[in-house]
Amino acid sequence: MTDDLGQIRAIRIEDEMRVSYLDYAMSVIVSRALPDVRDGLKPVHRRILYTMGEMGLSATSSFRKCAAIVGEVMGKYHPHGDVALYDALVRLAQDFSMRYPLVDGQGNFGSVDGDSAAAMRYTEARLTAIAAEMLDDIDKETVDFEDNYDGTQKQPTVLPAKLPNLLVNGSSGIAVGMATNIPPHHLGEVCDATIALIDDPEITSDDLSKYVLGPDFPTGGTIYRFEQVRNPLNGEMETVDAIRQMYAHGRGRVVMRAQVAFEEIHGERMAIIVSELPYQVNKAALLEKMADLVKDKRIEGIADLRDESDRDGMRIFIEIKRDANPHKVLNNLFKHTPMQLAFNMNMLALVDGQPQTLPLKSVLQHYVDHRRDIVRRRTEYDLGKARARAHILEGLKIALDNLDAVIRTIRESADVEAARSNLMSRFDLSELQANAILDMRLARLAALERKKIEDEYLSVIQLIAELEDILANPTRVLGIIKDELAELKQKHAGERRTRVADDSSREMTDEDLIADEDVVITISGRGYIKRQPVATYRRQHRGGKGIIGHVTREEDAVEHLIVANTHDWALFFTNRGRVFSAKVHSIVDASRQAKGIPIINLPGVQVEAGEVPMATIVLPNFEPGHYLVMATRKGIIKKTPLEQFERVRSTGILAITINEDDELAWVDVSAGDDDVIIATAEGMLARFAEDEVRPMGRVAAGVIGIRLLKKEGDSVVAMTVVEPDADLLVLTETGYGKRVALTEFRRKHRGGQGVRLIALEGKKTGSVAAVQQVTDEDEELLLISAGGQVIRTDTNSINRYSSSARGVIVMRLAEGDRVVAIAAFRSGLAERGGIEDNDAPEPGGSGPAPGRGA
């Protein structure tokens, strides 16, 4: 190769390749692919925003053609292709790419389906309001400027960036030998974490992760804080806080999952509705992938697949076949499609021109250092301007104090230059002050105008003192940064879009899909089951008609009503004495008008022909030392240790041996030393000590609990374990009801006919339909009829009566309808608009006591 003098000299090709490649690599790293830690921008994005600011394209200005913006940027600062430049501009305007878009686009700027933007001659753009925070104070010498590519313009080396853009909007790029992939975050959380760092510089990354909960993607979805990983030392699986480790080291991965819900269609079929996708997932490509998997039979159970998205939001409709398990289908979709992805974070950014992988604390500290420098330089600029203005005002004050002499001096001068010199020498003025006096209008000599000059001078002097104090006091600079962050959060943060779930399992579980909430479970006589949020039913006063809570079809009446938590276990006991188990959230979430799905379609429920689920209880866990107490229609009772039911096969296990003319109907949970009550359809009640029934194995048949009256149709309608200070709520078929204090019924031995519970009056009252314990006046009731009518009311709206009384109308029924079930509960969640009197249920509850709803 030749040197500067044109002489040929020898050089090793390996050395030349090494040097040239390193020069190229550093050029790509510094000038193209990696963002600056201070403003979170790559050069191309910085130049676009600065140029748009120069063009006056603020959030309140009119739009300009993107072709004009691209041409201006390319001609002045960015000598690269217009296509790549326009692509960078488009991304800044896409609300599905940027958590807080910096460009406000008008026209077609692409879609989540992967559609490209329209040509730049068709689209228009301007800056967003939050982009103005990136450019704020750039005209106050807050940042350094450098020559552009041809030396004809000056461009900023970094933006003032009041917005912590690197974390807020993230960045991705591939350099030479390295890459960056920073997820977007919620502005409010980043501001809170930065303020916490300013207040406590020794704060740890663990403490900061309490403020920054995790990435906040513009497309929403769900991310998972905990993850199960294999320990390389012992090979065992361990649960780790993936988000905390990611922020502590500046690299890591977080699992993203689409937001889904189940929806009932056509009365009996189910559909999966996808409303949010993981970040950077192409919706059209996802649908194509799903269709291919269904076609290749790698995913079975999908009957139809279509995109129903519109301007109101995303909606992917996946119809499930009648005989398919929707949870299993969804599990396969998460496993085989981009509905579940891992975001691999690598917080790589330029620090003083050098690429570094930074933990969360370092990123925030660099931002604080940058803002400290910006505030200092801005204050120095404002101080210089204030001092210059004070200097001018001091000259004007001198002129006003010596007005006659100043006028005489000017009139006696030969020309302007002489007047300036005479003023400067006679009144000891600077050239700037003399010029200001010569330029002063005669109107300023009025008394009010003179007062304005004096007031302005005082305010400028105060401003100078304030600015000097800021520069002399570093803590004041940090206070200004904190105030700006708080204002930024208040103006622009908005709500978090991505949910953060504390789940250590990466395998699909139903808890991923269903919120932790109180729900109502209804079961029909033919075994159709569904659940609905408690808030579906508004509270009413006693005697109301209620609302339709379950549409009955073909004489299929509702028989059981239970209030439970979505994370409870549900045990289903059949008429033949077998038991099956399932999670409450595996029960289909259906509308009030839907009848639900057959219980036999639930995971883990495989009943035989002629077998019908009769009793259902809900349990948060299988606590040792407790028992399941069971009763049949004929009055047989039995108790078995609860732990014997913790592991139930999908084919079920035997809970009690049943005679051919009898059936299991009632189950409850006891502590082993309680009283038991059994109520019959003819209004009789037996109360006896539970220890009169010895613990038995699962295959035992039980003993006599109550002897039925000889009347036709008499049977057990309720069995429950007595709770302290409880009342009995009794409801007849025609809607009459009352509360009776349990203290009215003294304990007797089991095996008798019991005592009178309620006075029945033939057709007027009908038989006893349901008996329910209520423990306090904070409880609410749900009553349901055979026709599907449901009423929700307060317990204290029903008065107490003696055991010999008939009671009052609690629920008004349509002709031919009858009451079939009742449930009492204390809601554990604040209900969104579900209570008419805005009196939210007592917080902290978890649904009814085990078994109380059946």
Side-chain angles (χ1 to χ4, degrees):
M1 62 177 298
T2 60
D3 56 19
D4 293 340
L5 300 177
Q7 301 294 322
I8 296 176
R9 62 185 181 88
I11 187 172
R12 290 171 53 85
I13 190 169
E14 294 89 345
D15 296 338
E16 178 62 25
M17 290 288 291
R18 184 182 301 108
V19 172
S20 298
Y21 189 78
L22 286 175
D23 289 344
Y24 162 73
M26 287 306 298
S27 174
V28 172
I29 291 170
V30 175
S31 303
R32 186 179 302 177
L34 299 185
D36 192 293
V37 72
R38 296 169 293 179
D39 62 5
L41 297 174
K42 300 176 186 178
V44 61
H45 300 129
R46 187 178 302 117
R47 291 163 183 169
I48 290 172
L49 295 179
Y50 178 66
T51 301
M52 294 180 71
E54 279 190 317
M55 296 172 69
L57 300 179
S58 68
T60 57
S61 71
S62 59
F63 290 90
R64 285 285 300 276
K65 285 289 186 183
C66 289
I69 298 172
V70 170
E72 191 81 2
V73 177
M74 187 167 56
K76 288 185 175 181
Y77 307 113
H78 198 71
H80 299 278
D82 60 336
V83 175
L85 188 54
Y86 181 53
D87 287 344
L89 172 65
V90 165
R91 187 180 184 278
L92 292 177
Q94 291 176 336
D95 58 3
F96 53 87
S97 296
M98 303 284 287
R99 179 60 181 85
Y100 298 90
L102 300 177
V103 171
D104 182 10
Q106 183 169 265
N108 177 16
F109 277 78
S111 72
V112 72
D113 286 320
D115 301 321
S116 58
M120 67 180 80
R121 62 183 178 272
Y122 299 120
T123 57
E124 299 176 333
R126 63 184 178 187
L127 294 174
T128 60
I130 200 169
E133 311 288 358
M134 298 289 295
L135 296 166
D136 194 29
D137 298 325
I138 197 171
D139 56 344
K140 293 187 176 182
E141 300 177 0
T142 52
V143 296
D144 295 331
F145 280 72
E146 63 183 3
D147 289 338
N148 68 338
Y149 63 93
D150 62 359
T152 60
Q153 303 283 339
K154 291 289 186 179
Q155 61 185 4
T157 58
V158 67
L159 296 186
K162 186 185 298 182
L163 178 74
N165 186 63
L166 182 66
L167 286 173
V168 165
N169 275 319
S171 183
S172 62
I174 301 174
V176 178
M178 62 186 69
T180 185
N181 198 28
I182 304 171
H185 292 80
H186 187 257
L187 174 59
E189 295 176 5
V190 175
C191 290
D192 290 341
T194 308
I195 292 173
L197 176 62
I198 293 174
D199 291 336
D200 180 14
E202 302 302 320
I203 193 171
T204 64
S205 294
D206 284 354
D207 293 331
L208 287 173
S209 65
K210 297 176 183 177
Y211 297 94
V212 182
L213 303 181
D216 186 24
F217 299 109
T219 53
T222 302
I223 59 175
Y224 294 87
R225 171 170 293 278
F226 296 102
E227 187 172 23
Q228 287 189 332
V229 298
R230 190 173 301 280
N231 189 319
L233 298 179
N234 54 26
E236 296 181 357
M237 299 300 293
E238 296 180 349
T239 300
V240 299
D241 190 333
I243 294 179
R244 184 191 65 80
Q245 290 192 353
M246 182 173 70
Y247 288 143
H249 302 101
R251 60 172 67 240
R253 56 171 253 152
V254 61
V255 174
M256 308 178 292
R257 185 174 283 175
Q259 186 67 19
V260 300
F262 291 118
E263 182 177 293
E264 187 182 30
I265 57 171
H266 308 319
E268 297 180 358
R269 287 194 178 186
M270 296 296 299
I272 299 171
I273 307 300
V274 182
S275 57
E276 298 172 6
L277 291 178
Y279 186 48
Q280 295 176 329
V281 169
N282 185 311
K283 177 160 61 71
L286 172 65
L287 288 165
E288 184 177 351
K289 174 74 172 178
M290 290 181 182
D292 290 341
L293 291 171
V294 173
K295 180 180 179 181
D296 297 339
K297 297 185 178 180
R298 294 182 61 190
I299 294 182
E300 298 182 349
I302 295 179
D304 191 17
L305 175 67
R306 58 180 180 268
D307 184 6
E308 297 181 349
S309 304
D310 55 22
R311 66 180 60 190
D312 295 326
M314 180 182 298
R315 179 181 167 91
I316 299 176
F317 180 90
I318 306 168
E319 184 176 343
I320 307 301
K321 292 181 179 178
R322 189 186 307 273
D323 58 346
N325 186 328
H327 300 285
K328 183 177 180 181
V329 174
L330 183 59
N331 194 4
N332 283 324
L333 288 173
F334 282 133
K335 182 177 181 180
H336 296 292
T337 73
M339 283 178 60
Q340 176 175 304
L341 289 177
F343 187 96
N344 294 290
M345 188 187 83
N346 184 18
M347 202 105 72
L348 185 70
L350 295 175
V351 180
D352 297 329
Q354 300 297 318
Q356 292 184 19
T357 299
L358 303 167
L360 176 62
K361 181 178 179 179
S362 295
V363 174
L364 295 177
Q365 188 61 60
H366 283 297
Y367 167 77
V368 172
D369 293 342
H370 175 58
R371 288 302 301 170
R372 184 190 289 116
D373 185 54
I374 295 297
V375 172
R376 179 187 58 80
R377 295 177 65 165
R378 179 184 69 194
T379 305
E380 290 174 347
Y381 178 86
D382 290 339
L383 179 59
K385 291 291 186 181
R387 284 173 173 169
R389 182 58 181 166
H391 182 67
I392 297 298
L393 292 172
E394 287 170 353
L396 296 179
K397 279 174 57 62
I398 291 173
L400 293 175
D401 292 340
N402 304 274
L403 185 58
D404 293 338
V406 168
I407 294 174
R408 185 167 52 252
T409 300
I410 296 174
R411 291 181 61 184
E412 291 173 354
S413 301
D415 53 26
V416 174
E417 291 296 331
R420 181 184 299 111
S421 299
N422 292 336
L423 288 173
M424 292 171 61
S425 60
R426 183 171 181 179
F427 299 101
D428 195 20
L429 300 173
S430 69
E431 184 175 352
L432 289 174
Q433 290 173 325
N435 286 333
I437 293 172
L438 292 172
D439 293 338
M440 186 171 61
R441 297 170 56 199
L442 291 177
R444 301 297 297 274
L445 302 180
L448 289 178
E449 293 298 320
R450 295 173 63 182
K451 183 67 167 56
K452 287 182 179 179
I453 292 175
E454 293 174 355
D455 292 343
E456 183 184 359
Y457 178 72
L458 290 176
S459 66
V460 171
I461 292 300
Q462 292 173 355
L463 176 61
I464 290 173
E466 177 77 6
L467 296 174
E468 288 177 340
D469 184 65
I470 291 174
L471 292 175
N473 192 346
T475 58
R476 290 206 60 187
V477 174
L478 294 176
I480 291 172
I481 297 173
K482 289 168 57 177
D483 292 342
E484 290 177 346
L485 286 169
E487 181 184 6
L488 202 64
K489 173 184 175 181
Q490 191 272 330
K491 288 170 60 177
H492 302 291
E495 297 293 328
R496 168 176 267 277
R497 297 181 185 176
T498 300
R499 302 155 191 82
V500 181
D502 292 337
D503 191 341
S504 61
S505 174
R506 291 279 55 81
E507 291 298 321
M508 168 62 189
T509 63
D510 293 328
E511 283 82 357
D512 292 337
L513 311 175
I514 306 300
D516 187 353
E517 62 178 350
D518 292 339
V519 294
V520 178
I521 301 171
T522 56
I523 306 173
S524 73
R526 295 191 177 183
Y528 280 85
I529 188 171
K530 69 175 180 179
R531 64 178 170 88
Q532 299 163 265
V534 169
T536 302
Y537 305 102
R538 292 183 178 272
R539 182 185 296 157
Q540 299 180 17
H541 297 292
R542 175 183 61 80
K545 289 187 176 181
I547 61 174
I548 294 295
H550 187 106
V551 175
T552 57
R553 295 179 175 87
E554 301 173 2
E555 304 302 323
D556 184 17
V558 173
E559 290 197 357
H560 299 293
L561 185 69
I562 307 168
V563 178
N565 187 276
T566 48
H567 293 272
D568 287 344
W569 284 97
L571 296 182
F572 302 98
F573 295 81
T574 71
N575 57 331
R576 302 313 308 155
R578 291 204 303 156
V579 60
F580 302 87
S581 69
K583 277 286 191 176
V584 169
H585 54 62
S586 67
I587 301 170
V588 62
D589 186 1
S591 66
R592 291 189 292 111
Q593 291 75 23
K595 72 175 183 179
I597 64 172
I599 291 180
I600 60 175
N601 284 356
L602 291 177
V605 180
Q606 299 180 12
V607 298
E608 297 176 352
E611 198 172 16
V612 179
M614 295 293 291
T616 302
I617 65 170
V618 291
L619 299 162
N621 52 56
F622 296 86
E623 185 176 354
H626 286 67
Y627 297 88
L628 278 187
V629 181
M630 294 162 268
T632 71
R633 293 285 186 190
K634 298 294 185 181
I636 301 298
I637 190 169
K638 168 193 173 179
K639 74 175 183 181
T640 302
L642 179 61
E643 56 264 29
Q644 294 190 19
F645 299 89
E646 185 170 5
R647 292 178 176 84
V648 179
R649 299 185 298 269
S650 60
T651 55
I653 59 174
L654 187 64
I656 183 175
T657 300
I658 300 292
N659 294 329
E660 290 185 2
D661 61 342
D662 200 358
E663 60 184 12
L664 176 64
W666 301 97
V667 183
D668 203 349
V669 176
S670 77
D673 56 355
D674 301 313
D675 280 5
V676 176
I677 56 174
I678 302 178
T680 69
E682 290 300 320
M684 304 300 292
L685 180 139
R687 176 175 180 174
F688 53 87
E690 181 190 336
D691 56 16
E692 291 195 12
V693 182
R694 63 177 178 83
M696 307 176 191
R698 290 189 292 104
V699 297
V703 295
I704 296 177
I706 188 173
R707 296 187 185 276
L708 303 178
L709 300 180
K710 298 301 182 180
K711 295 182 179 181
E712 182 180 354
D714 194 15
S715 65
V716 173
V717 295
M719 182 281 298
T720 185
V721 175
V722 173
E723 297 183 27
D725 302 321
D727 288 349
L728 274 185
L729 181 65
V730 188
L731 202 65
T732 70
E733 291 178 324
T734 60
Y736 281 88
K738 66 177 181 177
R739 280 192 294 162
V740 185
L742 267 172
T743 54
E744 289 200 24
F745 306 101
R746 61 187 179 88
R747 180 191 295 175
K748 294 187 176 182
H749 294 293
R750 68 170 178 83
Q753 290 186 340
V755 297
R756 176 61 59 186
L757 170 63
I758 185 172
L760 301 178
E761 301 179 10
K763 291 184 179 181
K764 183 174 183 178
T765 59
S767 300
V768 174
V771 178
Q772 172 71 56
Q773 280 191 96
V774 289
T775 57
D776 56 57
E777 294 187 351
D778 290 333
E779 283 189 326
E780 296 182 50
L781 301 174
L782 284 176
L783 294 74
I784 193 165
S785 72
Q789 204 78 6
V790 174
I791 183 173
R792 173 179 174 178
T793 188
D794 289 322
T795 301
N796 57 14
S797 67
I798 303 175
N799 294 330
R800 290 186 177 91
Y801 291 89
S802 68
S803 60
S804 60
R806 178 191 63 194
V808 296
I809 286 289
V810 176
M811 184 177 187
R812 299 190 183 278
L813 302 169
E815 186 176 354
D817 201 1
R818 61 185 176 86
V819 174
V820 292
I822 184 173
F825 70 98
R826 288 188 296 273
S827 178
L829 300 176
E831 299 166 292
R832 298 175 290 276
I835 299 177
E836 290 178 341
D837 58 8
N838 295 321
D839 181 18
E842 176 184 334
S846 58
R852 291 180 53 198

